[in-house]
Amino acid sequence: MNHPATFQDRWPQMKRVVLKILRQEPTSQVEWQNLFTDVYSVSTWYPASITEIFTELTNEITRHIKQAQERVLRHDEDSALLKAYIHEWSKFYEQCEYLPKPFVRIETNSNGNTSSSNPAHNSEKTTRSTDQVRQLMLESWNNNIFKDIKHRLQNSAMKLVQAERNGESFDSQLVIGVRDSYVSLKTDDKDKYKVYIENFERAYLNETTRFYKQKTGQYLTEHGILSYLHYADQKLKEEEKRARRYLESVPECNSVPLLIRRCVDVFVTEFREQITNECPNLIENNDIERLRLIFVLLDHTGDITSLTQALELFIVKQGLDNMLKNKDTIRQDPESYVQQLLDLYRQFSNLVRDAFLNDPRFLTSRDKAFQKIINDISVFQLDMPARATRGATRTTLAESRCPELLAQYCDILLRKGTSTHKKYSSEEIEVKIKDVLLLLKYVQNKDVFMRFYKGSLTRRLILDTSIDNELEESIVIQLRDVGMPAEFILKLQQMFKDLKLNRDMNEEFRTVCPSSRNNNTMMDSFSFKILSAAAWPHPGDKIDVSLPAQIEDVLPEIEEFYKKKHSGRKLTWYHTVSNGQLTFASKTGKYDLDVSTLQASILFAWNHRPINKLTFSELKLATNIPENELKKTLWSLISFAKLKQQLICYEPHVQTHQDLNDISLFWINYDFTIIRAGKIQTRGHINMIQRLQLNTEKGREEENEEIMFLRGERTKEAIVQIMKTRQRMNNAQLQTELIEILKNMFVPSKKLIKEMIEWLIDHRYMARSETNISEYVYVA
Amino acid sequence: MSTQSTNNNTNNPTSDVVTSSVPFTLKRWNLVGIWSWDVAHDVCAICRTALSESCLRCQAASNLQECIIVWGTCNHSFHNCCMSQWVKQRAQCPLCQTDWVINRIGQ
């Protein structure tokens, strides 16, 4: 090289190559490499020429673009215009990759010059200007061609999209090409997608909403809301798919979600009311498909409360209607009541699963609805004493009877000899018990359930009528797992433990007290259960009753044996629940009768005067049973529902047990027989114990009072517990925490809470805050 | 048991003869009894829960083992768990302050 290459020398050569590249004409390797060399040598020798290079380069690029523009604008028809534009653009855009390469050298050079004076900006500038030529190309394109025709381009693209919506097919690449050219025009460094967002995206969104605003109303009036749901769902899906194709998908733009939101406004929000109005009907018809559509549609708007509310209202209405319809039978029939509840529960759980995909919001409204149904008191109620203090006035408070009925249902399932449990296999029974536990979750006053469950369990265990003791024990575990209070569970477990201890004790007793040692030949036929007062339900008032002599005789033997085994214990016989079997010899045969102690005591009165008619007074004297209990027990012998012929006859005839009086006469029916399938049976077995009475009438009232008293105590405990940790707390917070703590037993009423807070303040466990009347302070 | 004694009076002379001819004979019988601790006070003076229940510690631990009762020579009674903790500090009855000597332990 003789002399340094000047810009003037080299540019013609350089320009030729640059143009070749711009026009995508074949460029030889030598030409390509020379361009690098020329740029390098010119800029090295004459750094001042760098500006000249850029100016000329810009001129060339602009000229090239102008030519391209001319070629594009030759077309009038939209798709031809688009096609031409995209053709030019894609060519040009491709060259944006190559053309800058030879100039990289001077970009960094020009950059190096400025940066030496200001090193702090060095790195920033470097990254910015490596793209200098490319930037230059894009900007020129934007300024020269795009600006002038962008509206035409955009409109053409939108028209094409619209045409597609109307079912015409076209080359989707055209729209995508326009989109790409918008996206690639990153003229603003800070907001790279500004051009795209402000033009293409905005137009796309507006066109889409405009298009559908015209369509939806029309479709709705023509086809009705039901088919509109399908339409809206289908169109939403279509538009989402279309948007994914035609809108930019980089996360910075967020175009697709934006479009969906706009579409949802048009398709759903606009018609929310009409859609919501359909819900109750659809729920009633169990139209899972449409409900799912509604759910999906409304869920797009982020607000589905109208739907969840509709579901809740519907479940409650259906539940209460069911109950009202069967008002008269349901009261006495826990089975059909529970069965109905369960059916309802299944129905709506399935609905929530199928239509609403087990969305938690719907599960919540299902739960809320069931809570309302189960704790409803409009159909039937349980009267509880209104005050938590014992011996208070007899005002009562209504509570749902559901907990009682649930416990009764369990009893029907688990007790031998009921028609219900015979219907089911043991697996089915287990499933049904699990169902009950499911419903129990919604019961507010679980303490009532616990009392009734424990009562019926006691009956089953004492009478030995449980279908499966192992199952019983596993239910206790399940009760624990659904959150029943530990102390309750502990006591139930202790009951089972007690029974096992008694089994061992009975065996031991038989070996120590063989019947030979005793005159009582019945010894082997006796068994006993000695239960811990702490675990088993309180027996209530003790009823003295004259026992058959054979029983009376064996008592001291057992007492003596027990005393030897245990010390410090007090043993009280609980004759009202003792029970056994008698044999009755009538004229026609011998029959085994399962009887309670009270029944046995009455029947044995005739052993001394077998053919006498005994007056009520005489029986009272002979049995020692209190009058009211005697009437009830006699009634079970003279009008036993399951028997055609009664065991004991009486006169004069009366309607209810209360009408029996001192002059009523009773005698044995020696003609008594059991007739089965039309034949007289000479042997047979009858269970006369309908429902073992654990407690007296008065005792039950006391039990209710006890429950209310315990609620008071538990509430006090919980308040103190909360106040001790919080020290200071306002009324509302205290109530919330209190309910949280107590909800596994019962939901305390506002009145109860207030009463207990007053009590605690009076007894100086806590005080009202001096500054704020609704705030409490813990007093140690 | 006045009725029973009258029954016996009327029955005694013929009881052996009658047994075969009485309408009702006992076949099987299940007696039910309830036991509770034989105590003067219902509540354990140490943990303040009923003696018929487990002591506070056992309740808190959900202990299924029986929580037994102990009597001193003063005839005061406490949960055995509570008392065994108590005597570590004071070998006197919490109620009457006499020296604590175990009379019996419930079983």
Side-chain angles (χ1 to χ4, degrees):
Chain A
M1 222 147 312
N2 304 335
H3 60 93
T6 62
F7 171 73
Q8 280 73 19
D9 288 342
R10 298 294 171 91
W11 179 247
Q13 186 186 326
M14 285 161 70
K15 180 178 151 187
R16 215 176 52 240
V17 184
V18 166
L19 284 177
K20 269 188 169 180
I21 294 169
L22 279 173
R23 288 173 192 149
Q24 279 191 317
E25 287 166 13
T27 317
S28 70
Q29 209 173 353
V30 182
E31 287 172 319
W32 176 240
Q33 279 168 359
N34 279 345
L35 186 56
F36 279 82
T37 331
D38 291 341
V39 171
Y40 176 76
S41 49
V42 169
S43 60
T44 319
W45 285 106
Y46 304 101
S49 308
I50 291 173
T51 340
E52 285 176 279
I53 295 180
F54 274 111
T55 321
E56 278 307 310
L57 193 59
T58 314
N59 288 340
E60 284 315 314
I61 291 170
T62 314
R63 208 168 298 139
H64 173 77
I65 291 172
K66 289 267 190 228
Q67 287 163 4
Q69 187 183 7
E70 267 170 44
R71 285 195 296 276
V72 172
L73 290 178
R74 243 174 258 149
H75 302 274
D76 284 332
E77 197 260 321
D78 285 331
S79 93
L81 177 89
L82 273 181
K83 218 174 257 173
Y85 173 81
I86 285 157
H87 175 71
E88 294 295 339
W89 162 253
S90 53
K91 245 165 61 180
F92 182 76
Y93 190 65
E94 211 174 304
Q95 297 322 305
C96 286
E97 291 301 309
Y98 300 111
L99 191 58
K101 286 198 159 60
F103 301 93
V104 167
R105 175 71 202 162
I106 55 169
E107 282 176 351
T108 34
N109 260 5
S110 70
N111 188 34
N113 289 343
T114 46
S115 67
S116 55
S117 58
N118 196 353
H121 291 253
N122 195 9
S123 61
E124 190 198 335
K125 287 227 164 163
T126 316
T127 46
R128 237 183 356 137
S129 45
T130 38
D131 259 354
Q132 221 169 340
V133 173
R134 192 181 140 83
Q135 201 68 25
L136 179 75
M137 292 175 73
L138 291 176
E139 256 170 55
S140 314
W141 180 272
N142 193 20
N143 291 334
N144 292 304
I145 178 165
F146 188 65
K147 240 187 201 158
D148 295 341
I149 61 166
K150 71 179 178 188
H151 289 294
R152 278 196 69 184
L153 286 175
Q154 206 168 278
N155 291 342
S156 313
M158 294 310 144
K159 269 184 208 153
L160 286 179
V161 175
Q162 224 73 301
E164 190 189 60
R165 286 198 180 107
N166 286 326
E168 294 163 34
S169 65
F170 72 98
D171 182 4
S172 59
Q173 277 311 315
L174 298 180
V175 181
I176 295 170
V178 176
R179 191 263 326 271
D180 280 344
S181 67
Y182 272 96
V183 171
S184 315
L185 284 166
K186 295 168 187 166
T187 48
D188 188 333
D189 272 343
K190 287 205 187 78
D191 193 355
K192 284 191 197 160
Y193 297 98
K194 200 174 158 204
V195 180
Y196 160 74
I197 288 174
E198 284 179 0
N199 297 286
F200 191 85
E201 184 188 282
R202 184 176 295 167
Y204 190 94
L205 296 183
N206 289 339
E207 279 304 308
T208 310
T209 37
R210 199 183 54 79
F211 180 83
Y212 282 110
K213 263 192 182 136
Q214 294 168 344
K215 294 258 169 179
T216 47
Q218 190 190 345
Y219 191 93
L220 193 61
T221 37
E222 275 173 25
H223 299 90
I225 185 80
L226 292 183
S227 68
Y228 175 76
L229 293 173
H230 288 283
Y231 172 79
D233 181 61
Q234 190 197 339
K235 289 296 165 193
L236 264 179
K237 281 185 189 140
E238 263 177 42
E239 282 310 317
E240 182 178 348
K241 222 163 121 193
R242 205 188 315 281
R244 288 198 191 291
R245 206 159 50 215
Y246 296 141
L247 293 176
E248 179 56 34
S249 58
V250 292
E252 289 102 309
C253 289
N254 205 28
S255 302
V256 177
L258 218 60
L259 175 97
I260 292 171
R261 213 170 308 146
R262 292 281 284 273
C263 286
V264 166
D265 282 345
V266 175
F267 285 118
V268 189
T269 318
E270 197 87 343
F271 305 105
R272 179 192 290 277
E273 204 176 317
Q274 276 147 291
I275 294 175
T276 313
N277 286 345
E278 275 316 298
C279 294
N281 270 334
L282 295 177
I283 295 174
E284 184 158 13
N285 299 330
N286 203 29
D287 191 334
I288 285 168
E289 195 192 340
R290 290 215 175 83
L291 284 171
R292 192 190 296 170
L293 278 179
I294 295 186
F295 167 50
V296 171
L297 290 176
L298 286 180
D299 202 28
H300 281 300
T301 70
D303 176 16
I304 53 164
T305 37
S306 50
L307 190 50
T308 52
Q309 263 166 10
L311 180 69
E312 188 181 330
L313 284 176
F314 188 83
I315 299 179
V316 171
K317 192 174 166 300
Q318 176 104 21
L320 295 184
D321 282 356
N322 271 355
M323 266 198 269
L324 266 176
K325 239 182 271 163
N326 304 295
K327 194 172 162 182
D328 301 320
T329 50
I330 226 173
R331 218 180 279 261
Q332 298 310 324
D333 186 0
E335 190 179 356
S336 71
Y337 169 74
V338 176
Q339 203 52 55
Q340 276 193 16
L341 271 185
L342 283 175
D343 289 347
L344 210 62
Y345 187 79
R346 292 245 172 281
Q347 181 191 339
F348 288 108
S349 297
N350 289 347
L351 180 72
V352 170
R353 185 193 61 206
D354 298 338
F356 308 127
L357 314 168
N358 272 342
D359 186 282
R361 289 164 292 184
F362 289 95
L363 291 174
T364 310
S365 52
R366 178 202 65 190
D367 289 352
K368 271 198 208 152
F370 271 89
Q371 210 155 32
K372 275 189 198 143
I373 299 173
I374 282 183
N375 296 296
D376 181 80
I377 53 168
S378 56
V379 180
F380 45 67
Q381 59 192 46
L382 185 68
D383 290 331
M384 296 292 283
R387 295 180 65 85
T389 37
R390 278 195 231 241
T393 43
R394 294 247 58 89
T395 47
T396 54
L397 208 71
E399 278 185 13
S400 162
R401 269 190 71 187
C402 180
E404 181 188 345
L405 293 172
L406 285 179
Q408 279 181 18
Y409 182 65
C410 290
D411 190 45
I412 293 173
L413 286 174
L414 294 168
R415 198 175 66 220
K416 270 185 211 159
T418 63
S419 54
T420 309
H421 97 83
K422 282 178 195 154
K423 280 194 293 207
Y424 304 117
S425 69
S426 58
E427 288 80 17
E428 282 171 317
I429 288 178
E430 276 179 57
V431 171
K432 290 196 176 291
I433 293 283
K434 284 212 168 71
D435 288 343
V436 172
L437 296 181
L438 224 56
L439 294 180
L440 186 60
K441 185 170 74 178
Y442 302 110
V443 170
Q444 272 175 358
N445 298 318
K446 298 193 177 67
D447 52 355
V448 178
F449 172 82
M450 288 183 248
R451 179 188 66 169
F452 283 107
Y453 187 84
K454 191 170 174 178
S456 57
L457 174 66
T458 303
R459 247 174 246 123
R460 293 195 294 274
L461 295 182
I462 287 180
L463 292 177
D464 215 2
T465 51
S466 174
I467 52 162
D468 183 347
N469 271 18
E470 263 175 50
L471 176 62
E472 295 271 11
E473 285 200 65
S474 81
I475 294 171
V476 173
I477 301 297
Q478 291 175 39
L479 284 170
R480 185 192 65 196
D481 295 344
V482 297
M484 293 287 137
E487 59 203 77
F488 169 70
I489 298 300
L490 216 59
K491 284 190 177 169
L492 295 189
Q493 287 174 330
Q494 222 168 16
M495 287 165 70
F496 288 101
K497 214 181 126 201
D498 250 12
L499 288 182
K500 282 178 198 121
L501 286 176
N502 272 295
R503 236 166 278 148
D504 298 344
M505 217 156 34
N506 272 291
E507 261 170 44
E508 201 184 325
F509 178 69
R510 276 197 197 105
T511 54
V512 227
C513 279
S515 47
S516 56
R517 214 195 78 187
N518 211 294
N519 285 336
N520 197 335
T521 48
M522 287 281 303
M523 215 55 172
D524 282 341
S525 327
F526 277 100
S527 70
F528 56 88
K529 292 187 175 79
I530 297 173
L531 312 168
S532 147
W536 295 73
H538 192 262
D541 291 340
K542 198 171 176 249
I543 295 178
D544 271 324
V545 51
S546 304
L547 297 170
Q550 282 163 308
I551 300 175
E552 203 74 71
D553 287 348
V554 80
L555 295 181
E557 298 272 344
I558 300 173
E559 281 165 17
E560 197 188 326
F561 167 78
Y562 193 73
K563 210 169 257 173
K564 272 186 206 148
K565 273 191 76 70
H566 295 283
S567 72
R569 290 187 180 191
K570 201 164 56 186
L571 172 60
T572 317
W573 291 110
Y574 188 4
H575 291 309
T576 39
V577 296
S578 298
N579 58 85
Q581 206 172 60
L582 308 179
T583 307
F584 167 54
S586 78
K587 279 183 199 160
T588 41
K590 284 190 167 185
Y591 306 100
D592 291 337
L593 312 173
D594 289 340
V595 290
S596 69
T597 312
L598 298 189
Q599 288 170 327
S601 177
I602 294 172
L603 296 177
F604 267 71
W606 274 284
N607 271 4
H608 313 301
R609 284 156 281 181
I611 49 165
N612 289 25
K613 291 188 175 182
L614 302 178
T615 63
F616 183 80
S617 313
E618 280 171 317
L619 283 171
K620 200 158 75 182
L621 199 67
T623 58
N624 218 9
I625 302 172
E627 194 166 306
N628 198 28
E629 298 300 325
L630 181 60
K631 282 181 183 171
K632 271 200 282 183
T633 316
L634 274 168
W635 194 251
S636 73
L637 297 171
I638 59 181
S639 65
F640 190 72
K642 283 183 193 158
L643 290 176
K644 287 205 181 79
Q645 265 184 309
Q646 297 299 327
L647 197 59
I648 301 293
C649 306
Y650 76 109
E651 66 180 9
H653 194 77
V654 290
Q655 287 304 314
T656 67
H657 69 89
Q658 279 149 344
D659 301 331
L660 294 171
N661 59 37
D662 282 349
I663 55 151
S664 302
L665 278 175
F666 303 89
W667 66 94
I668 297 175
N669 173 18
Y670 282 104
D671 296 321
F672 179 84
T673 51
I674 300 177
I675 296 163
R676 201 157 280 153
K679 279 185 192 160
I680 293 175
Q681 311 284 315
T682 54
R683 290 281 183 277
H685 171 230
I686 310 160
N687 184 356
M688 303 290 290
I689 312 171
Q690 279 166 301
R691 189 162 181 274
L692 186 63
Q693 205 184 335
L694 288 177
N695 215 328
T696 53
E697 200 83 10
K698 195 166 145 252
R700 268 199 292 279
E701 269 171 31
E702 276 167 10
E703 263 189 4
N704 283 345
E705 269 180 32
E706 179 75 16
I707 282 190
M708 284 313 284
F709 174 75
L710 272 178
R711 282 187 191 173
E713 296 300 299
R714 295 275 176 268
T715 311
K716 280 190 240 172
E717 267 170 34
I719 295 174
V720 171
Q721 188 189 332
I722 295 166
M723 291 306 297
K724 198 169 177 178
T725 42
R726 302 276 170 161
Q727 292 295 327
R728 187 175 276 277
M729 203 173 199
N730 74 35
N731 193 30
Q733 281 174 310
L734 179 63
Q735 304 241 359
T736 334
E737 282 204 24
L738 202 53
I739 289 170
E740 192 53 38
I741 290 185
L742 295 173
K743 71 172 182 206
N744 275 337
M745 291 178 271
F746 59 95
V747 175
S749 64
K750 287 232 161 70
K751 193 163 165 278
L752 179 73
I753 297 176
K754 192 166 167 278
E755 212 176 293
M756 292 306 128
I757 289 179
E758 298 293 340
W759 189 92
L760 288 169
I761 291 175
D762 286 348
H763 290 74
R764 292 170 193 282
Y765 284 92
M766 57 198 274
R768 273 178 221 286
S769 156
E770 281 166 14
T771 48
N772 182 351
I773 41 159
S774 66
E775 194 178 59
Y776 304 110
V777 186
Y778 179 66
V779 180
Chain B
M1 293 295 127
S2 58
T3 41
Q4 206 203 342
S5 57
T6 53
N7 289 348
N8 285 347
N9 286 345
T10 53
N11 256 337
N12 266 348
T14 50
S15 67
D16 288 335
V17 191
V18 174
T19 28
S20 54
S21 63
V22 293
F24 300 103
T25 45
L26 203 58
K27 196 172 180 194
R28 240 182 313 116
W29 203 254
N30 312 306
L31 284 157
V32 180
I34 291 275
W35 70 265
S36 52
W37 296 111
D38 190 7
V39 287
H41 302 275
D42 290 338
V43 174
C44 171
I46 301 171
C47 71
R48 297 270 162 204
T49 48
L51 284 168
S52 59
E53 312 259 327
S54 293
C55 73
L56 268 189
R57 283 163 174 273
C58 289
Q59 278 186 34
S62 293
N63 200 342
L64 248 191
Q65 290 305 305
E66 222 172 320
C67 182
I68 52 168
I69 306 287
V70 64
W71 283 261
T73 44
C74 58
N75 209 25
H76 287 129
S77 44
F78 308 94
H79 288 119
N80 198 24
C81 311
C82 299
M83 200 59 208
S84 52
Q85 292 288 325
W86 179 273
V87 289
K88 283 183 194 158
Q89 312 217 329
R90 268 167 76 92
Q92 284 161 347
C93 170
L95 286 174
C96 61
Q97 312 300 326
T98 54
D99 287 346
W100 179 255
V101 180
I102 294 177
N103 176 15
R104 60 195 165 126
I105 292 180
Q107 287 174 353

